């Protein structure tokens, strides 16, 4: 997964995100995907808001 995140189209999208999009982003390592019930707390505790033009 880390290889995918750091290469190709995903890397290009991450680099362009600050200039074209607004939203919350987060990332972390885990042994298993989070459950839907865990997601709100993950976004609240680890999320970072991104606004266009502000890197």
């Amino acid at each position: 997964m880390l290889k995918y995140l750091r290469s190709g189209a995903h890397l290009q999208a991450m680099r362009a995100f600050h200039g074209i999009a607004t939203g919350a982003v987060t990332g972390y390592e885990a042994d298993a995907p989070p459950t839907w019930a865990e997601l709100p707390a993950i976004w609240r505790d680890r999320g970072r808001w991104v606004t266009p033009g502000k890197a």
Side-chain angles (χ1 to χ4, degrees), residues 27-54:
Y28 63 96
E29 293 186 33
D31 293 328
T35 66
W36 285 105
E38 294 170 320
L39 290 175
I42 290 170
W43 284 111
R44 183 186 62 244
D45 298 340
R46 302 178 188 183
R48 178 174 51 88
W49 190 257
V50 178
T51 303
K54 296 183 180 181

Side-chain angles (χ1 to χ4, degrees), residues 2 5 10-14 16 19 22-23 25-26 28-29 32-33 37 40-41 44 47-49 51:
L2 290 177
L5 291 175
H10 189 269
L11 178 61
Q12 291 174 351
M14 288 191 318
T22 299
V25 296
T26 190
Y28 63 96
E29 293 186 33
R44 183 186 62 244
R48 178 174 51 88
W49 190 257
T51 303

